[in-house]
Amino acid sequence: MEALIWIGLTALLIAAPFLYPRWRLRRVLARPLPPEAEAILRRNIPVYQRMSPDLQRQLRRMVVQFLHQKKFVGCEGLEVSDEMAVTIAGQACLLLLNRPSKVYPALHTILVYPSEFVARRAEVGPGGVVTPGRQSMLGESWDDGRVVLSWDNVRRGAADWTDGHNVVLHEFAHQLDSESGRANGAPYLGNPASYREWSEVLSRDYQNLRMNAMYRQHTVMDPYGATNPAEFFAVATETFFEKPYQMAEHHAELYAEFLKYYRVDPREWMAPPPPPPEPPSYAYVTGW
């Protein structure tokens, strides 16, 4: 009998590190998002108020989990406030609605700078010569569980939800992309058969964007998406959530792929953009 007790205690001690976090998470999720935090979502995610009650509930629940599991670190003397944490969590979790997810399981830390930050970059030149360099950044996503953001640019993205530029959506799209093994523009789709159509559509639109960027032609998506397939997926994600009508009109098949992947239609949360102004008409007078 005593041996059985010791076996039971040993098994409990082994299981405790796995069971305790789940128990804590269930307790945390049993509590609703505080009203002051929901007020931040309403202020800094303009589409929140037009989302269905079910999607609002999903978002609030995921924000609670995000804030519980992720660590926010202020950089260059910045103190991360509730406004910053809830805004970042809310925008990041928009990408997870209607999708079975553990809320970015590989992510553990969000570093927040007051404004643009400088990152060290090694540039490889002719002959393989490596030259140290520095580059100003708005955000970064790392496959080691970190995301780096500029708060000024997070706030700017929250202020204008129709310009197709949102650093949180961009960097957390990279996090989703990395869940398939590496960031290459092909996130985990769940069904292997889905990759063929995804690859065909995204490869074609990526090449078109590269051509448009080369000739500096106007495009719905930011030309930065022509950098590589991973950046194309992140830029297309920004466009999908912030310029859905324009993307659906000019990139119908790409929009359809993103509808299947993200499982929401942002057009339901936004009014259509105003039509472009008509060209001026001219009256021609003949004779004298």
Side-chain angles (χ1 to χ4, degrees):
M1 184 66 180
E2 185 175 344
L4 291 176
I5 293 175
W6 279 109
I7 292 173
L9 289 174
T10 302
L12 183 61
L13 288 173
I14 294 173
F18 302 97
L19 298 177
Y20 180 65
R22 297 180 184 178
W23 175 79
R24 281 196 64 201
L25 179 59
R26 283 198 297 269
R27 291 198 62 185
V28 168
L29 292 177
R31 299 192 294 266
L33 186 70
E36 56 271 21
E38 185 176 3
I40 294 172
L41 294 181
R42 293 184 181 277
R43 281 197 305 272
N44 294 339
I45 304 181
V47 295
Y48 177 81
Q49 299 186 60
R50 299 191 62 169
M51 292 163 58
S52 69
D54 176 59
L55 290 180
Q56 289 180 347
R57 283 192 295 271
Q58 286 187 46
L59 187 63
R60 290 194 300 269
R61 181 181 175 86
M62 286 189 286
V63 167
V64 169
Q65 182 171 347
F66 192 105
L67 296 175
H68 169 67
Q69 293 180 324
K70 318 305 178 188
K71 179 181 180 181
F72 286 84
V73 178
C75 303
E76 295 185 350
L78 179 70
E79 183 176 343
V80 178
S81 65
D82 290 345
E83 180 94 11
M84 297 175 186
V86 173
T87 298
I88 292 168
Q91 293 186 18
C93 290
L94 275 180
L95 306 185
L96 307 178
L97 294 170
N98 284 339
R99 303 169 66 235
S101 171
K102 295 182 180 179
V103 184
Y104 302 105
L107 176 71
H108 54 74
T109 305
I110 300 94
L111 297 98
V112 187
Y113 283 81
S115 56
E116 292 185 19
F117 54 94
V118 177
R120 297 174 184 266
R121 289 288 183 270
E123 299 178 2
V124 181
V129 177
V130 178
T131 304
R134 295 162 67 87
Q135 182 179 358
S136 295
M137 305 286 291
L138 310 182
E140 280 190 303
S141 175
W142 293 80
D143 58 9
D144 64 357
R146 294 178 297 161
V147 165
V148 191
L149 298 168
S150 154
W151 171 244
D152 276 355
N153 288 277
V154 173
R155 185 166 48 189
R156 192 171 296 125
D160 189 345
W161 204 264
T162 61
D163 63 354
H165 297 287
N166 186 296
V167 68
V168 178
L169 298 182
H170 185 103
E171 301 306 336
F172 279 87
H174 283 315
Q175 285 290 306
L176 293 178
D177 194 4
S178 298
E179 289 180 358
S180 62
R182 62 190 180 96
N184 59 2
Y188 178 69
L189 300 179
N191 181 0
S194 302
Y195 283 97
R196 180 177 178 179
E197 189 170 1
W198 176 274
S199 177
E200 289 177 356
V201 173
L202 268 75
S203 295
R204 182 198 62 211
D205 281 34
Y206 168 60
Q207 294 300 332
N208 289 341
L209 185 62
R210 291 188 66 191
M211 293 296 294
N212 291 333
M214 183 182 302
Y215 293 103
R216 299 186 179 181
Q217 297 176 341
H218 174 74
T219 61
V220 172
M221 288 183 283
D222 190 319
Y224 183 67
T227 305
N228 56 55
E231 295 299 345
F232 178 78
F233 172 67
V235 166
T237 294
E238 295 177 85
T239 310
F240 177 77
F241 280 95
E242 292 207 351
K243 302 173 77 174
Y245 287 96
Q246 298 93 319
M247 186 177 179
E249 179 181 356
H250 296 281
H251 302 272
E253 291 185 48
L254 180 63
Y255 194 80
E257 288 299 311
F258 275 63
L259 282 176
K260 289 187 288 186
Y261 177 68
Y262 282 117
R263 305 185 187 185
V264 293
D265 190 344
R267 291 174 297 186
E268 297 175 356
W269 313 334
M270 303 169 69
E278 295 183 3
S281 58
Y282 298 94
Y284 295 91
V285 178
T286 59
W288 294 90

Coordinates of all heavy atoms in Angstrom, one line a residue, residues 75-124:
C75 N 11.5 48.6 -24.0 CA 12.9 48.9 -24.3 C 13.2 50.4 -24.4 O 12.3 51.2 -24.6 CB 13.2 48.2 -25.7 SG 12.9 46.4 -25.8
E76 N 14.5 50.7 -24.2 CA 14.9 52.1 -24.2 C 14.1 52.9 -23.2 O 13.7 54.1 -23.5 CB 14.8 52.7 -25.6 CG 15.8 52.1 -26.6 CD 15.7 52.7 -28.0 OE1 14.8 53.6 -28.2 OE2 16.6 52.4 -28.8
G77 N 13.9 52.4 -22.0 CA 13.2 53.1 -20.9 C 11.7 53.1 -21.0 O 11.1 53.7 -20.2
L78 N 11.1 52.5 -22.0 CA 9.7 52.5 -22.2 C 9.0 51.6 -21.1 O 9.4 50.5 -20.9 CB 9.3 52.0 -23.6 CG 7.8 52.0 -23.8 CD1 7.2 53.4 -23.9 CD2 7.5 51.2 -25.1
E79 N 8.0 52.1 -20.5 CA 7.2 51.3 -19.5 C 5.9 50.9 -20.3 O 5.1 51.7 -20.7 CB 6.8 52.1 -18.3 CG 6.1 51.3 -17.2 CD 5.8 52.1 -16.0 OE1 6.5 53.1 -15.7 OE2 5.0 51.7 -15.2
V80 N 5.7 49.6 -20.4 CA 4.6 49.1 -21.2 C 3.3 49.2 -20.3 O 3.2 48.7 -19.2 CB 4.8 47.6 -21.6 CG1 3.6 47.0 -22.3 CG2 6.0 47.4 -22.4
S81 N 2.4 50.0 -20.9 CA 1.1 50.2 -20.2 C 0.1 49.2 -20.6 O 0.2 48.4 -21.5 CB 0.6 51.6 -20.5 OG 0.3 51.7 -21.9
D82 N -1.1 49.2 -19.9 CA -2.2 48.4 -20.3 C -2.7 48.7 -21.7 O -3.0 47.8 -22.4 CB -3.3 48.5 -19.3 CG -3.0 47.9 -17.9 OD1 -2.0 47.1 -17.8 OD2 -3.7 48.2 -16.9
E83 N -2.6 50.0 -22.0 CA -3.1 50.5 -23.3 C -2.2 49.8 -24.4 O -2.7 49.3 -25.4 CB -2.9 52.0 -23.4 CG -3.3 52.5 -24.8 CD -4.7 53.0 -24.8 OE1 -5.4 53.1 -23.7 OE2 -5.2 53.3 -25.9
M84 N -0.9 49.7 -24.2 CA 0.0 49.1 -25.2 C -0.3 47.6 -25.3 O -0.4 47.1 -26.3 CB 1.4 49.4 -24.8 CG 1.8 50.9 -24.8 SD 3.5 51.1 -24.2 CE 3.6 52.9 -24.1
A85 N -0.3 46.9 -24.1 CA -0.4 45.5 -24.1 C -1.7 45.0 -24.7 O -1.7 44.1 -25.5 CB -0.2 45.0 -22.7
V86 N -2.8 45.7 -24.3 CA -4.1 45.2 -24.8 C -4.3 45.5 -26.3 O -4.8 44.7 -27.1 CB -5.3 45.9 -24.0 CG1 -6.6 45.6 -24.6 CG2 -5.2 45.4 -22.6
T87 N -3.7 46.7 -26.7 CA -3.8 47.0 -28.2 C -3.0 46.0 -29.0 O -3.5 45.5 -30.0 CB -3.2 48.4 -28.4 OG1 -4.0 49.4 -27.7 CG2 -3.2 48.8 -29.9
I88 N -1.8 45.7 -28.6 CA -1.0 44.7 -29.3 C -1.7 43.3 -29.3 O -1.8 42.6 -30.3 CB 0.4 44.6 -28.7 CG1 1.1 46.0 -29.0 CG2 1.2 43.5 -29.3 CD1 2.4 46.1 -28.3
A89 N -2.1 42.9 -28.1 CA -2.8 41.6 -28.0 C -4.0 41.5 -28.9 O -4.3 40.5 -29.6 CB -3.1 41.3 -26.5
G90 N -4.9 42.6 -28.8 CA -6.1 42.6 -29.6 C -5.9 42.5 -31.1 O -6.5 41.7 -31.8
Q91 N -4.9 43.3 -31.6 CA -4.6 43.3 -33.0 C -4.0 41.9 -33.4 O -4.4 41.4 -34.5 CB -3.7 44.4 -33.4 CG -4.4 45.8 -33.2 CD -3.5 46.9 -33.7 OE1 -2.5 46.7 -34.5 NE2 -3.8 48.1 -33.3
A92 N -3.2 41.4 -32.6 CA -2.5 40.1 -32.9 C -3.6 39.0 -33.0 O -3.5 38.1 -33.9 CB -1.5 39.8 -31.9
C93 N -4.5 39.0 -32.1 CA -5.5 37.9 -32.0 C -6.6 38.0 -33.1 O -7.3 37.1 -33.3 CB -6.1 37.9 -30.6 SG -5.0 37.4 -29.3
L94 N -6.7 39.2 -33.8 CA -7.6 39.2 -34.9 C -7.3 38.1 -35.9 O -8.2 37.6 -36.6 CB -7.5 40.6 -35.6 CG -8.3 41.8 -35.0 CD1 -8.0 43.0 -35.9 CD2 -9.8 41.5 -35.1
L95 N -6.0 37.8 -36.0 CA -5.6 36.8 -37.0 C -6.0 35.4 -36.6 O -5.9 34.5 -37.5 CB -4.1 36.8 -37.2 CG -3.4 38.2 -37.5 CD1 -1.9 38.0 -37.8 CD2 -4.1 38.8 -38.7
L96 N -6.5 35.2 -35.4 CA -6.8 33.8 -34.9 C -8.3 33.5 -34.8 O -8.7 32.5 -34.4 CB -6.2 33.6 -33.6 CG -4.7 33.9 -33.4 CD1 -4.2 33.7 -32.0 CD2 -3.9 33.0 -34.4
L97 N -9.2 34.5 -35.2 CA -10.6 34.3 -35.0 C -11.1 33.1 -35.9 O -10.7 32.9 -37.0 CB -11.3 35.6 -35.5 CG -11.1 36.8 -34.6 CD1 -11.7 38.1 -35.3 CD2 -11.7 36.7 -33.2
N98 N -12.0 32.4 -35.3 CA -12.7 31.2 -35.9 C -11.7 30.1 -36.3 O -12.0 29.2 -37.1 CB -13.4 31.7 -37.2 CG -14.7 32.4 -36.9 OD1 -15.3 32.2 -35.8 ND2 -15.2 33.2 -37.9
R99 N -10.5 30.2 -35.7 CA -9.5 29.1 -36.0 C -9.1 28.4 -34.7 O -8.8 29.1 -33.8 CB -8.3 29.8 -36.7 CG -8.6 30.5 -38.0 CD -7.5 31.4 -38.5 NE -6.4 30.5 -38.9 CZ -5.2 30.6 -38.5 NH1 -4.9 31.5 -37.6 NH2 -4.2 29.8 -38.9
P100 N -9.1 27.1 -34.7 CA -8.6 26.4 -33.5 C -7.1 26.8 -33.3 O -6.3 26.5 -34.2 CB -8.8 24.9 -33.9 CG -8.8 24.9 -35.4 CD -9.4 26.2 -35.8
S101 N -6.8 27.4 -32.2 CA -5.4 27.9 -32.0 C -5.1 27.9 -30.5 O -6.0 28.1 -29.7 CB -5.3 29.2 -32.6 OG -4.0 29.8 -32.2
K102 N -3.8 27.7 -30.2 CA -3.4 27.9 -28.8 C -2.8 29.3 -28.6 O -2.2 29.5 -27.6 CB -2.3 26.8 -28.6 CG -2.8 25.4 -28.6 CD -1.7 24.4 -28.3 CE -2.2 23.0 -28.3 NZ -1.2 22.0 -28.1
V103 N -3.1 30.2 -29.4 CA -2.7 31.6 -29.3 C -1.2 31.7 -29.3 O -0.6 31.9 -28.3 CB -3.3 32.3 -28.0 CG1 -3.0 33.8 -28.0 CG2 -4.9 32.1 -28.0
Y104 N -0.7 31.6 -30.5 CA 0.8 31.7 -30.8 C 1.6 30.9 -29.8 O 2.3 31.5 -28.9 CB 1.2 33.2 -30.7 CG 0.4 34.1 -31.7 CD1 -0.6 34.9 -31.3 CD2 0.7 34.0 -33.1 CE1 -1.3 35.7 -32.3 CE2 0.0 34.7 -34.0 CZ -1.0 35.6 -33.6 OH -1.7 36.3 -34.5
P105 N 1.5 29.6 -29.8 CA 2.2 28.8 -28.8 C 3.7 28.9 -28.7 O 4.3 28.7 -27.7 CB 1.8 27.3 -29.2 CG 1.4 27.4 -30.7 CD 0.8 28.8 -30.8
A106 N 4.3 29.3 -29.8 CA 5.8 29.4 -29.8 C 6.2 30.8 -29.3 O 7.4 30.9 -29.1 CB 6.3 29.2 -31.2
L107 N 5.3 31.7 -29.2 CA 5.7 33.1 -28.8 C 5.7 33.2 -27.3 O 4.8 32.7 -26.6 CB 4.7 34.1 -29.4 CG 4.9 35.5 -29.0 CD1 6.1 36.1 -29.7 CD2 3.6 36.3 -29.4
H108 N 6.7 33.9 -26.8 CA 6.7 34.1 -25.3 C 7.0 35.5 -24.9 O 6.7 36.0 -23.8 CB 7.8 33.2 -24.6 CG 9.2 33.2 -25.2 ND1 10.0 34.3 -25.0 CD2 9.8 32.4 -26.0 CE1 11.2 34.1 -25.6 NE2 11.1 32.9 -26.2
T109 N 7.6 36.3 -25.8 CA 8.0 37.7 -25.4 C 7.7 38.7 -26.5 O 8.0 38.4 -27.7 CB 9.5 37.7 -25.1 OG1 9.8 36.8 -24.1 CG2 9.9 39.1 -24.5
I110 N 7.2 39.8 -26.1 CA 7.0 41.0 -27.0 C 7.8 42.1 -26.5 O 7.6 42.6 -25.4 CB 5.5 41.4 -27.2 CG1 4.7 40.2 -27.7 CG2 5.4 42.6 -28.1 CD1 4.0 39.4 -26.6
L111 N 8.8 42.6 -27.3 CA 9.6 43.7 -26.9 C 9.1 44.9 -27.6 O 8.8 44.9 -28.8 CB 11.1 43.5 -27.3 CG 11.8 42.3 -26.6 CD1 11.8 41.1 -27.5 CD2 13.2 42.7 -26.2
V112 N 8.9 46.0 -26.8 CA 8.2 47.2 -27.3 C 9.2 48.4 -27.2 O 9.6 48.7 -26.1 CB 6.9 47.5 -26.6 CG1 6.2 48.7 -27.3 CG2 6.0 46.3 -26.6
Y113 N 9.5 49.0 -28.3 CA 10.3 50.2 -28.3 C 9.4 51.4 -28.4 O 8.3 51.4 -29.0 CB 11.3 50.2 -29.5 CG 12.5 49.3 -29.3 CD1 12.4 48.0 -29.6 CD2 13.7 49.9 -29.0 CE1 13.5 47.1 -29.4 CE2 14.8 49.1 -28.8 CZ 14.7 47.7 -29.0 OH 15.8 46.9 -28.9
P114 N 9.9 52.6 -28.0 CA 9.0 53.8 -28.1 C 8.7 54.2 -29.5 O 7.6 54.6 -29.9 CB 9.8 54.9 -27.4 CG 10.9 54.2 -26.6 CD 11.1 52.9 -27.3
S115 N 9.7 54.0 -30.4 CA 9.6 54.4 -31.8 C 10.5 53.5 -32.7 O 10.9 52.4 -32.2 CB 10.0 55.9 -32.0 OG 11.3 56.1 -31.5
E116 N 10.8 53.9 -33.9 CA 11.7 53.1 -34.7 C 12.9 52.7 -33.9 O 13.5 53.5 -33.2 CB 12.0 53.8 -36.0 CG 10.8 54.0 -36.9 CD 11.3 54.6 -38.3 OE1 12.5 54.5 -38.6 OE2 10.4 55.2 -38.9
F117 N 13.4 51.5 -34.2 CA 14.6 51.0 -33.5 C 15.6 50.6 -34.5 O 15.3 50.3 -35.7 CB 14.3 49.9 -32.5 CG 13.6 48.7 -33.2 CD1 14.2 47.6 -33.6 CD2 12.2 48.7 -33.3 CE1 13.6 46.5 -34.2 CE2 11.5 47.7 -33.8 CZ 12.2 46.6 -34.3
V118 N 16.9 50.5 -34.1 CA 17.9 50.1 -35.0 C 18.3 48.7 -34.8 O 18.6 48.3 -33.7 CB 19.1 51.1 -34.9 CG1 20.3 50.6 -35.8 CG2 18.7 52.5 -35.2
A119 N 18.4 47.9 -35.9 CA 18.8 46.5 -35.8 C 20.1 46.3 -36.5 O 20.3 47.0 -37.6 CB 17.7 45.6 -36.3
R120 N 21.0 45.5 -36.0 CA 22.2 45.2 -36.7 C 22.0 44.2 -37.8 O 21.3 43.2 -37.6 CB 23.2 44.7 -35.7 CG 23.6 45.6 -34.6 CD 24.5 45.0 -33.6 NE 24.8 45.9 -32.5 CZ 25.9 46.7 -32.4 NH1 26.8 46.6 -33.4 NH2 26.1 47.5 -31.4
R121 N 22.5 44.5 -39.0 CA 22.4 43.6 -40.1 C 23.7 43.4 -40.8 O 24.5 44.3 -40.9 CB 21.4 44.2 -41.1 CG 19.9 44.2 -40.7 CD 19.4 42.8 -40.7 NE 18.0 42.8 -40.3 CZ 17.5 42.7 -39.1 NH1 18.4 42.5 -38.1 NH2 16.2 42.7 -38.8
A122 N 24.0 42.1 -41.1 CA 25.2 41.8 -41.8 C 24.9 41.7 -43.3 O 24.0 40.9 -43.7 CB 25.8 40.5 -41.4
E123 N 25.5 42.5 -44.1 CA 25.2 42.5 -45.6 C 26.4 41.8 -46.3 O 27.5 42.0 -46.0 CB 25.2 44.0 -46.1 CG 24.1 44.8 -45.4 CD 24.1 46.2 -45.9 OE1 24.9 46.6 -46.8 OE2 23.3 47.0 -45.4
V124 N 25.9 40.8 -47.2 CA 26.9 40.0 -47.9 C 27.1 40.7 -49.3 O 26.1 40.8 -50.1 CB 26.4 38.6 -48.1 CG1 27.4 37.8 -48.8 CG2 26.1 38.0 -46.7

